[in-house]
Amino acid sequence: MKKLLILLLCSTYSFAQYLGTGSVTQGLATATSGNLYSCTNGRIAALGTITATDNTIWTVPAVTNFTNNLFPFASNLYNECTGNLYANSTAALAALNGSDIVTVDTNGEIITAYIFADNYFEMYINGVPVGKDNVPFTQFNSNIVRFKVNRPFTISMLLVDWEERLGVGGETNGGFTYHCGDGGMVAVFKDASNTIIAKTGSDWKAQTFYTAPIMNLSCPTESGTSRLSANCSTADSNAGTGYYGLHWARPSNWTLATFDDSSWPAATTFTNATIGVDNKPAYTNFTTIFDDVSNDAQFIWSKNVILDNEVIVRKTVSSLSVYDFETINSKINIYPNPAKSQFNLDYDAAVFPINKIQIITTLGELLFETNTISNTITFGTIPSGMYFVKIISDKFEITKKLIVE
């Protein structure tokens, strides 16, 4: 009896350490599905439920539409599970017959999205389901989603880092049973002229809805709407059955363009090395898409790419009014070219307001940046060679080649 009382007191004290807004669960969930998808050398993509201390019941790693036949699958960019091993995006697009295009607006333009997600995504455009990942866990794959829409439009995506140890965010790796896996998602959106109109970066919003494992409930904190776990351990273990999970309910209208995400934290960006994609052909075959030297997309997630397992990201792609990118590109010019230490910017500031000018190398290194926009841009002394000038506005981003002599 005394031992039981001590255990109860310790448990009460442990839960009392948590001062956040999430529902707290402890231990492993009860499996409700054995495996959503089978793939050679793939991991088990199971689902489970777990009851929190406030008696709410949560599905882990997340409630998804993977088995919902009304939610369209994305097209394959690279998929080892199905044998669709395209060497480049041209070959992947050539395999499509147009039936994959989801209509959001009947008179809209066709947008093509390229996505690599670790592990799973669902994409909505203005609340309309347009594509979900073909593989919920592994092998790692990449996808194409095409849809017809008018600008402006809002991208809303559910991102899930799957788990083998349901409820505590663990997987088998490196000889450990409870390894904390990481997430990460990168996407590029192109119009019919093959111009990038949106890409993942810090201008997206990202909110966390499931964090695990939490080994000590005193480590997570909150600041405004940010759900923070940077002070929490990510150490591997073989004894994680007592770990905790934190859960938050998704807003009912999070997929809609009318949802107000202004208070959500900005997405956090991560390097390719941090996400670990250099050995994954689902990514490396398409670096010309994801790592465009003049318009590079970045991996994004919430604040903690290791412990946060369910994340929603959002981005509104603005309207170009009566102008398209080809028109903008023809109306903004730089001269002389070649240049030495400065160039002139020929444009109509009233029609095309510009916020920022950057000069980057062909390898993507930023050499010069200014927010002071005038008809003459002085960049100083840089080595002779070819560079890219990025001209950035709230409504557009174009790139010009510049030769420095």
Side-chain angles (χ1 to χ4, degrees):
M1 183 66 179
K2 185 176 181 181
K3 182 180 291 186
L4 177 60
L5 179 60
I6 292 172
L7 288 173
L8 288 173
L9 287 172
C10 289
S11 177
T12 301
Y13 172 72
S14 180
F15 281 105
Q17 294 179 78
Y18 178 65
L19 302 176
T21 60
S23 291
V24 180
T25 58
Q26 184 176 22
L28 296 171
T30 300
T32 55
S33 69
N35 189 14
L36 298 183
Y37 184 80
S38 295
C39 174
T40 302
N41 297 320
R43 294 176 182 258
I44 301 297
L47 292 174
T49 59
I50 190 168
T51 302
T53 57
D54 60 6
N55 292 320
T56 53
I57 298 175
W58 300 89
T59 297
V60 288
V63 175
T64 74
N65 283 287
F66 186 77
T67 59
N68 180 359
N69 293 330
L70 298 179
F71 199 118
F73 278 105
S75 301
N76 288 306
L77 185 58
Y78 190 96
N79 189 341
E80 292 185 39
C81 294
T82 60
N84 296 110
L85 309 180
Y86 298 112
N88 52 58
S89 61
T90 301
L93 287 171
L96 304 178
N97 61 13
S99 62
D100 60 298
I101 300 171
V102 176
T103 298
V104 180
D105 298 314
T106 54
N107 61 340
E109 60 181 319
I110 295 176
I111 306 298
T112 302
Y114 302 88
I115 308 104
F116 177 97
D118 180 358
N119 298 108
Y120 175 78
F121 77 89
E122 293 176 2
M123 182 186 292
Y124 301 79
I125 301 297
N126 294 345
V128 177
V130 295
K132 62 187 175 186
D133 208 329
N134 287 279
V135 182
F137 204 165
T138 57
Q139 300 285 352
F140 288 100
N141 66 309
S142 50
N143 297 268
I144 295 174
V145 175
R146 297 199 295 179
F147 51 91
K148 184 182 290 188
V149 70
N150 290 319
R151 287 184 254 185
F153 62 87
T154 297
I155 308 161
S156 304
M157 297 179 68
L158 169 68
L159 307 178
V160 181
D161 180 27
W162 224 274
E163 57 190 18
E164 290 178 295
R165 308 292 173 259
L166 296 173
V168 294
E171 61 184 55
T172 301
N173 204 322
F176 292 94
T177 307
Y178 294 89
H179 167 77
C180 306
D182 60 1
M185 187 278 293
V186 63
V188 173
F189 297 77
K190 293 189 173 187
D191 65 12
S193 68
N194 205 39
T195 298
I196 295 176
I197 62 168
K199 62 185 188 298
T200 45
S202 59
D203 56 337
W204 287 54
K205 295 288 189 175
Q207 182 59 286
T208 301
F209 291 91
Y210 170 41
T211 301
I214 299 296
M215 303 175 194
N216 185 330
L217 283 174
S218 66
C219 69
T221 60
E222 295 183 20
S223 176
T225 61
S226 294
R227 297 155 182 172
L228 307 173
S229 52
N231 295 327
C232 299
S233 174
T234 59
D236 290 337
S237 169
N238 285 315
T241 56
Y243 291 163
Y244 303 97
L246 301 178
H247 309 258
W248 293 266
R250 301 177 203 163
S252 60
N253 58 344
W254 68 269
T255 67
L256 302 181
T258 54
F259 176 73
D260 183 7
D261 59 20
S262 58
S263 66
W264 278 16
T268 303
T269 60
F270 301 89
T271 65
N272 292 0
T274 297
I275 302 301
V277 293
D278 290 341
N279 62 345
K280 295 177 174 60
Y283 182 86
T284 57
N285 281 15
F286 311 99
T287 53
T288 55
I289 297 289
F290 298 122
D291 291 323
D292 187 313
V293 293
S294 64
N295 208 357
D296 186 24
Q298 295 176 291
F299 276 94
I300 62 170
W301 202 253
S302 57
K303 300 293 184 185
N304 196 324
V305 75
I306 297 177
L307 297 183
D308 292 343
N309 304 314
E310 179 185 349
V311 175
I312 290 174
V313 297
R314 286 172 50 93
K315 165 70 176 176
T316 295
V317 180
S318 62
S319 172
L320 290 178
S321 185
V322 297
Y323 298 100
D324 58 23
F325 279 97
E326 185 175 348
T327 300
I328 294 171
N329 198 46
S330 66
K331 296 292 185 180
I332 301 177
N333 294 289
I334 59 176
Y335 69 93
N337 196 357
K340 293 185 177 180
S341 61
Q342 64 182 33
F343 59 81
N344 296 320
L345 190 61
D346 180 18
Y347 77 111
D348 186 338
V351 178
F352 303 111
I354 296 171
N355 300 335
K356 184 185 297 183
I357 300 288
Q358 295 178 334
I359 298 178
I360 61 176
T361 69
T362 55
L363 297 178
E365 179 186 2
L366 178 66
L367 292 186
F368 171 82
E369 181 177 89
T370 182
N371 299 97
T372 303
I373 309 302
S374 66
N375 290 109
T376 301
I377 304 297
T378 301
F379 54 83
T381 302
I382 60 176
S384 300
M386 188 182 80
Y387 299 90
F388 294 105
V389 177
K390 294 180 71 173
I391 302 170
I392 302 168
S393 164
D394 288 335
K395 294 186 175 182
F396 61 84
E397 180 177 309
I398 62 172
T399 302
K400 302 279 189 179
K401 288 183 180 180
L402 174 68
I403 303 297
V404 175
E405 58 183 15

